[in-house]
Amino acid sequence: MSVREWLAVAMFASFILGILTGFPVAWILGGIAILFTAIAVIVERDFGFYTGVDWSYASLVGDRIWDLMDNWVLVALPMFVCMGLLLDRAGIAADLMRDVSRLFGRMRGGLAVTVALIGVVLAASTGIIGASVVLLALLGLPPMLEARYAPTYAAGTVCAVGTLGILIPPSIMLVLMADRLAMSVGDLFLGAVIPGLLLAALYILFLIALPAFRPEIAPAPEEAEPVDLSLILSVFRDIVPAAALILAVLGSIFFGIATPTEASGVGAFGALLLAAWRKRLGRSVLQDVLRETSLTTGYLFGIFVGASAFALVLRGLGGDELIARGLMGLPFGPSGVVLSILFVTFLLGFFLDWIEITFIVLPLVAPVVVELGFDLVWFTVLFAVCLQTSFLTPPVGFALFYVKGVAPPEIDVRTLYIGILPFVGLQLIGLALIFMWPELATWLPAQAYGTP
Amino acid sequence: MRLPKVRMTNDGVSTGPPVPDPPSRIERVLDRVGTLVSWVWLLLIAVIVLAVVLRFVFGIGRIELEELQWHLYAIGFLAGIVGCAVHDRHVRVDVLRERMSPRLRDWVDLYGILLFQIPLVVLVLVSAVPIVIESFATGEESSSAGGLPYRWILKAVLPIAFIGVGAASVTRLREVGTRLFGAEAAKSRSVRE
């Protein structure tokens, strides 16, 4: 390895150490880029080693940020954030929890299944794990614990289901991945639909099956009200407008009628109407939602700006060739290379958020995978599932931290870890299924566009 | 990662934080501007809906509407970056920070701002200002027919936003500095000694 490649490795290591200080990730990324530019300049001037990075190279960061500004695809990002916030403020999740749990009232584990179903609906509306995990924990944990469900079972459900949001379209993570890899957002959304629903189905099967074998985990409800027509009607009334909105947004993208940007804007408009129709949209709520859209978009793009500077300097130091050569040199064959990438991504997910991994790591590894002859949609979906799994996994699963932060005191860290284990198993099964049958990810995009 | 702040509202649960008034005057000004700018999202929704209606109902594609969309989006996200700097909402990895004493956190922030945040602000300003000047000098407009003119105005939003980030970081630096080295800190140190 040359000196500049050692610098690239040191740069990545410094970044991981840097974020552990708890200083904002966006500034750490940008600051490390500047620090290593300075080091590269000194190494080249005073020690005579070629580094390829100097101050005029680093000042290309202005153009990189302009590329983010002049980007019509990423306009969809704040619009999806805004749509998710509006659906959240419209109180749909709370109403669903009330009515759907009555629908499943007589079933063992019915509340957990309810949380899973709401998670899928929420997943389609937000795509920010923090938000959906917290919302599910606040809505779902108290009734489950009150019904004397095992705390491990209840907590595991909330964590796992909440992370589905970053996978099930429209997910802002998938929008960013598609943008960074210059692929079609529609293709990637389509590719993630079956894997996302597959994981949701695995969860629900598990949630139903476990209490059947171990009844003490979820006692049968003592006084369940009968399911009557009015209950079914009210469930429909809760679910239909939101579901129709989400399906319309996705459908218009899938059938190529609208671009993701158009669909996201119209989706946000629909959510606005829905919130107004449910009389939840006062001026102060609207101002609050818009402001929150700014701040959520702000922290995403803060990291984008920092990561732009970081990726620029890392590339200047030859980081991309280093990764490509390292991956190609692995003695495992093509599938082994993909598995190695996924494993490392899984480990990185312990420390880094999806934003940095998508912005910095994914563009480095994706070309290698394409060169090996794999389908890019398939790989990106695997990458996404892998990231989602790592958010569930101790020691540093982000979803676990979120739930811990809002859960009642009887949910301690141990309970969370035990509760999450079976779901990590299900995730790995899902990952293996997608790995073995790439059609799970590639079939739907091929159908929509008629390409073989 | 930082926990999203949670509150209960009359309508149930909301994951949005109550946004408190920031303490200093500069931050209050930045905050007010940010709140005002956040209405671009509503404007953006309106522009997208208008463009979609024109395209699907009347079969008219307007390039200026499409460009207006990413112009508004760029203004919105840059204002958001400033807003997060003011409200300390940029993502932090809290795993170790949770266990740090408040004083150690202040030290981390002090060095973080001096070594990472302010240099980044300077680099962005140094690289963005010439882009704006060049755009202004050449009278740059959209390269597509019917696109928007005066591109330098949009390009100028980037350095303006980062001046905002710089202002927020200096204010924060002063806050942290007061806690670490100010009269109060000196007093409590002398008491301990």
Side-chain angles (χ1 to χ4, degrees):
Chain A
M1 266 177 31
S2 61
V3 170
R4 62 199 283 256
E5 286 174 342
W6 277 113
L7 282 179
V9 173
M11 188 173 168
F12 205 86
S14 318
F15 164 54
I16 303 238
L17 288 177
I19 58 168
L20 289 177
T21 61
F23 195 67
V25 177
W27 313 135
I28 294 276
L29 279 163
I32 296 263
I34 293 166
L35 181 67
F36 275 79
T37 306
I39 294 176
V41 168
I42 293 170
V43 164
E44 181 152 331
R45 193 188 55 202
D46 297 345
F47 297 91
F49 293 108
Y50 170 72
T51 56
V53 171
D54 58 17
W55 291 113
S56 73
Y57 178 79
S59 71
L60 287 175
V61 73
D63 299 279
R64 293 299 167 93
I65 301 174
W66 171 249
D67 290 341
L68 286 173
M69 295 166 71
D70 174 8
N71 186 322
W72 197 49
V73 176
L74 291 182
V75 176
L77 236 125
M79 290 291 92
F80 280 136
V81 169
C82 186
M83 174 176 146
L85 286 167
L86 282 165
L87 288 178
D88 172 17
R89 295 293 202 280
I92 288 164
D95 288 3
L96 275 178
M97 187 71 213
R98 190 191 60 222
D99 291 340
V100 180
S101 63
R102 279 158 65 204
L103 196 60
F104 290 115
R106 307 184 136 214
M107 196 172 86
R108 272 182 196 281
L111 285 172
V113 174
T114 305
V115 170
L117 288 176
I118 294 171
V120 173
V121 177
L122 277 186
S125 74
T126 58
I128 298 177
I129 25 170
S132 45
V133 168
V134 167
L135 190 62
L136 285 175
L138 288 170
L139 285 175
L141 273 182
M144 282 198 277
L145 294 175
E146 202 174 303
R148 287 185 292 111
Y149 282 22
T152 47
Y153 175 77
T157 306
V158 168
C159 291
V161 170
T163 59
L164 277 179
I166 61 167
L167 190 62
I168 296 182
S171 133
I172 56 173
M173 178 173 83
L174 296 179
V175 173
L176 183 68
M177 286 180 162
D179 177 68
R180 289 294 104 185
L181 299 178
M183 62 201 284
S184 140
V185 176
D187 277 0
L188 192 54
F189 274 13
L190 277 173
V193 167
I194 294 179
L197 294 180
L198 174 79
L199 284 170
L202 285 174
Y203 286 0
I204 291 174
L205 279 179
F206 169 77
L207 291 173
I208 296 173
L210 190 66
F213 291 108
R214 295 179 54 195
E216 74 279 8
I217 283 197
E222 279 147 21
E223 44 191 71
E225 50 183 315
V227 174
D228 59 14
L229 197 63
S230 77
L231 174 58
I232 294 177
L233 276 180
S234 74
V235 168
F236 267 96
R237 208 188 46 229
D238 296 336
I239 210 167
V240 164
L245 178 66
I246 290 160
L247 288 178
V249 167
L250 288 178
S252 62
I253 299 173
F254 290 167
F255 294 108
I257 301 169
T259 64
T261 304
E262 290 170 337
S264 66
V266 175
F269 184 63
L272 204 63
L273 293 183
L274 191 62
W277 176 62
R278 292 170 64 101
K279 300 195 171 50
R280 297 282 168 83
L281 194 71
R283 198 196 129 90
S284 72
V285 173
L286 181 61
Q287 174 69 77
D288 202 34
V289 164
L290 294 175
R291 221 172 158 193
E292 202 50 39
T293 305
S294 275
L295 292 176
T296 305
T297 309
Y299 81 63
L300 289 170
F301 278 81
I303 297 180
F304 294 178
V305 166
S308 294
F310 187 88
L312 177 75
V313 176
L314 189 67
R315 216 161 262 259
L317 291 170
D320 47 348
E321 297 132 50
L322 179 69
I323 298 261
R325 214 175 53 230
L327 288 175
M328 288 301 197
L330 290 175
F332 309 133
S335 300
V337 172
V338 173
L339 285 177
S340 313
I341 294 174
L342 294 178
F343 183 68
V344 172
T345 306
F346 179 74
L347 293 183
L348 283 177
F350 288 169
F351 307 101
L352 309 183
D353 204 354
W354 63 264
I355 317 169
E356 302 94 88
I357 296 182
T358 302
F359 217 96
I360 298 167
V361 179
L362 185 60
L364 290 178
V365 295
V368 180
V369 175
V370 172
E371 200 170 309
L372 289 170
F374 291 105
D375 184 89
L376 190 55
V377 169
W378 170 74
F379 172 72
T380 311
V381 169
L382 277 178
F383 196 88
V385 175
C386 190
L387 277 182
Q388 184 217 341
T389 312
S390 81
F391 296 143
L392 283 178
T393 314
V396 197
F398 287 123
L400 307 181
F401 278 105
Y402 284 131
V403 172
K404 183 76 191 71
V406 294
E410 63 256 50
I411 310 278
D412 59 8
V413 177
R414 211 180 116 76
T415 312
L416 275 173
Y417 285 4
I418 296 173
I420 205 65
L421 274 179
F423 292 95
V424 173
L426 293 175
Q427 286 288 128
L428 294 178
I429 292 173
L431 204 59
L433 290 175
I434 303 163
F435 189 80
M436 285 188 287
W437 286 286
E439 293 79 15
L440 287 170
T442 58
W443 180 78
L444 205 52
Q447 295 307 305
Y449 299 98
T451 46
Chain B
M1 184 193 268
R2 160 153 298 216
L3 285 172
K5 293 161 190 123
V6 180
R7 67 181 150 154
M8 304 295 288
T9 64
N10 297 336
D11 304 335
V13 183
S14 159
T15 46
V19 184
D21 269 346
S24 82
R25 200 163 81 208
I26 298 174
E27 286 182 315
R28 273 202 300 276
V29 170
L30 289 174
D31 182 53
R32 213 160 293 158
V33 174
T35 306
L36 199 66
V37 175
S38 71
W39 289 88
V40 295
W41 302 122
L42 197 63
L43 199 58
L44 177 54
I45 294 174
V47 172
I48 294 178
V49 170
L50 178 65
V52 167
V53 169
L54 282 179
R55 186 156 87 83
F56 285 95
V57 183
F58 301 102
I60 308 168
R62 298 303 287 258
I63 193 77
E64 57 266 52
L65 285 183
E66 195 178 297
E67 292 200 343
L68 190 56
Q69 289 168 27
W70 58 259
H71 278 59
L72 292 172
Y73 135 94
I75 294 168
F77 87 68
L78 287 168
I81 291 177
V82 182
C84 285
V86 172
H87 292 288
D88 194 14
R89 284 280 297 273
H90 279 293
V91 180
R92 295 172 185 265
V93 175
D94 272 354
V95 183
L96 295 181
R97 192 177 171 85
E98 274 177 346
R99 284 165 216 169
M100 292 177 185
S101 66
R103 205 174 151 77
L104 184 57
R105 288 184 199 177
D106 281 343
W107 279 109
V108 165
D109 280 358
L110 178 80
Y111 280 106
I113 292 169
L114 288 175
L115 296 177
F116 295 105
Q117 191 171 354
I118 289 178
L120 181 67
V121 169
V122 172
L123 179 70
V124 171
L125 288 180
V126 166
S127 65
V129 169
I131 297 177
V132 180
I133 292 173
E134 191 198 317
S135 177
F136 180 75
T138 57
E140 186 189 6
E141 338 191 315
S142 164
S143 54
S144 18
L148 299 176
Y150 306 122
R151 183 143 291 175
W152 65 271
I153 297 179
L154 181 63
K155 288 191 165 173
V157 179
L158 173 59
I160 291 170
F162 268 77
I163 289 171
V165 172
S169 66
V170 169
T171 326
R172 176 122 186 96
L173 198 60
R174 222 172 46 192
E175 237 173 76
V176 170
T178 314
R179 278 202 298 272
L180 286 174
F181 314 115
E184 288 289 313
K187 206 190 297 169
S188 73
R189 256 201 310 278
S190 68
V191 168
R192 247 180 291 143
E193 281 155 12

